[in-house]
């Protein structure tokens, strides 16, 4: 199962990035435009908040797990979550969490 988590992390990085690249190609490289698009209507705003809350919850879970298990490599899932997305960060964390310790 461990390798399924890694495959999902790669997919969670590549697939959404494709859509961001397409958006930037169509609208120009504008972070303010991207943030405005996330608030374009109630559906996109709801999805943005859903992903944000999930990312914060995942971060708190990672920090609490690292504190107990001392699996410092799992901290890599935090920047992956906020810089790439929760679709990459969550399966990456599960991949790192299921590695043998010691």
């Amino acid at each position: 199962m461990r390798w399924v988590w890694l495959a999902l992390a790669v997919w969670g990085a590549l697939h959404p990035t494709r859509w961001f690249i397409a958006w930037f190609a169509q609208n120009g490289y504008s972070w303010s435009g991207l943030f405005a698009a996330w608030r374009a209507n109630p559906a996109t705003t709801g999805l943005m908040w859903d992903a944000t809350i999930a990312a914060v919850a995942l971060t708190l879970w990672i920090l609490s797990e690292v504190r107990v298990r001392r699996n410092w490599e799992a901290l890599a899932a935090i920047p992956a979550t906020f810089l790439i997305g929760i679709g990459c960060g969550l399966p990456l964390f599960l991949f790192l969490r299921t590695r043998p310790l010691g």
Side-chain angles (χ1 to χ4, degrees), residues 58-74:
L58 175 60
T59 299
L60 293 173
W61 181 25
I62 292 168
L63 292 173
S64 65
E65 283 275 319
V66 166
R67 185 173 160 224
V68 171
R69 296 184 66 180
R70 304 288 190 236
N71 182 5
W72 306 112
E73 292 83 9

Side-chain angles (χ1 to χ4, degrees), residues 11-88:
W11 185 24
L14 297 178
H15 192 79
T17 300
R18 173 185 175 267
W19 294 103
F20 285 122
I21 290 170
W23 188 90
F24 283 126
Q26 187 176 35
N27 297 288
Y29 190 75
S30 168
W31 286 106
S32 61
L34 181 62
F35 292 131
W38 288 341
R39 295 183 313 273
N41 60 59
T44 58
T45 300
L47 286 171
M48 182 218 32
W49 280 109
D50 184 58
T52 301
I53 292 165
V56 170
L58 175 60
T59 299
L60 293 173
W61 181 25
I62 292 168
L63 292 173
S64 65
E65 283 275 319
V66 166
R67 185 173 160 224
V68 171
R69 296 184 66 180
R70 304 288 190 236
N71 182 5
W72 306 112
E73 292 83 9
L75 290 171
I78 295 174
T81 298
F82 287 99
L83 297 175
I84 300 170
I86 195 158
C88 174

